[in-house]
Amino acid sequence: MNELEDIRREIEEIDREILALIDRRVNMAERVLESKRINGTSINDQKQNEVVINRALNAATELNLDPGSIKAIFEVLIRMSIERQNELSGKGRLP
C-alpha cells in the first residue's frame, strides 16, 4: 500500500464523519420544529439563518478557510434543515 492510498483512506474516513454530522444536524429538525411551534417562530427564521452563517464565517476566518465556500456549505445545511422541518410539518414539497 502506498502513501497516496493511505491518505485517500483517511480522507474517506473524514468524509464519513462529515456525513454522519450532517445526518445528525438534519435529524435535529424535529426538535427545532417543536421548539419553533412552542415559541411561534416560523420555520424559515431569517434572523437565525444569519446568525448561523455569521458564526460559520467567523470560524472559517479563524481556521483560514475560504469564507465563500463555507458560506455556500452552510446555506445548503440551512436549506436541508428547513426542507426537513417542512416535511415534518406536512408542508414538504410534493412530487
Side-chain angles (χ1 to χ4, degrees):
M1 188 169 314
N2 66 39
E3 183 180 3
L4 181 57
E5 289 174 6
D6 290 342
I7 293 167
R8 287 179 174 161
R9 278 197 181 83
E10 189 172 345
I11 290 171
E12 180 181 354
E13 184 178 318
I14 292 167
D15 289 346
R16 289 183 186 278
E17 291 172 19
I18 291 169
L19 290 169
L21 289 170
I22 291 170
D23 180 63
R24 182 174 158 200
R25 190 182 197 286
V26 169
N27 286 324
M28 294 288 296
E30 188 170 359
R31 291 173 55 194
V32 170
L33 179 62
E34 185 58 34
S35 182
K36 285 179 176 179
R37 282 181 178 157
I38 291 168
N39 293 323
T41 307
S42 69
I43 287 177
N44 189 357
D45 182 351
Q46 197 57 45
K47 216 177 211 182
Q48 180 60 22
N49 296 348
E50 290 174 19
V51 168
V52 171
I53 295 288
N54 288 331
R55 185 174 56 220
L57 291 175
N58 289 335
T61 301
E62 290 174 16
L63 295 169
N64 200 30
L65 296 171
D66 175 48
S69 296
I70 296 302
K71 182 178 182 186
I73 290 167
F74 274 81
E75 286 172 341
V76 169
L77 292 172
I78 289 167
R79 188 174 65 244
M80 289 173 70
S81 179
I82 290 168
E83 287 173 359
R84 182 70 180 128
Q85 290 174 57
N86 279 324
E87 289 171 10
L88 290 168
S89 71
K91 298 177 184 172
R93 294 187 195 153
L94 297 175

